[in-house]
Amino acid sequence: MLLALCVFGVVVAHVAIAQGQFQLEQLRESSAQKQAEYDRLRLQVAELESPERIVADAQQRLGMVTPPGVTYLAPSADEPPAPANAAAADQRSADAAAANTGWSTVKPHLADG
């Protein structure tokens, strides 16, 4: 009886190990498939991000053209930058101040609702 019980225990352990190996093999196959898909998608992203493809797409689909020349601008260290349009800058400041005044008037009423 004891010998039969030991043999039965060994068989059960062997079955459990075989099931574990089967599950492990399935996980390895799934991992390999996911890794291959990941690699394929990374390649696709790299191809889509390539500057040559972006330039070609911009020229073909969007009708963009390469400029005849490029001019780089650098600020002068002698004088501080001035707004392009001082009147527009003053108007934006006045608009921002008016918006803040309007908000302080409206805010107390929002809590009542």
Side-chain angles (χ1 to χ4, degrees):
M1 177 78 161
L2 183 61
L3 181 62
L5 198 57
C6 287
V7 170
F8 182 72
V10 168
V11 169
V12 168
H14 184 64
V15 168
I17 290 172
Q19 286 177 342
Q21 288 175 338
F22 180 71
Q23 289 175 347
L24 182 61
E25 187 59 33
Q26 284 181 332
L27 289 174
R28 283 184 182 155
E29 287 177 14
S30 174
S31 176
Q33 289 174 353
K34 297 297 180 187
Q35 184 65 41
E37 181 181 1
Y38 173 77
D39 292 340
R40 182 183 56 78
L41 291 173
R42 289 289 299 166
L43 176 62
Q44 184 179 5
V45 166
E47 289 171 350
L48 291 173
E49 286 180 339
S50 75
E52 294 83 16
R53 191 211 60 88
I54 292 173
V55 168
D57 202 31
Q59 290 173 342
Q60 292 170 2
R61 282 196 318 133
L62 303 176
M64 294 182 158
V65 295
T66 305
V70 178
T71 304
Y72 294 98
L73 303 176
S76 172
D78 298 340
E79 61 183 69
N85 186 349
D90 291 340
Q91 182 62 38
R92 283 192 296 271
S93 305
D95 291 345
N100 288 338
T101 304
W103 172 249
S104 61
T105 305
V106 172
K107 186 176 177 181
H109 300 289
L110 295 176
D112 295 339

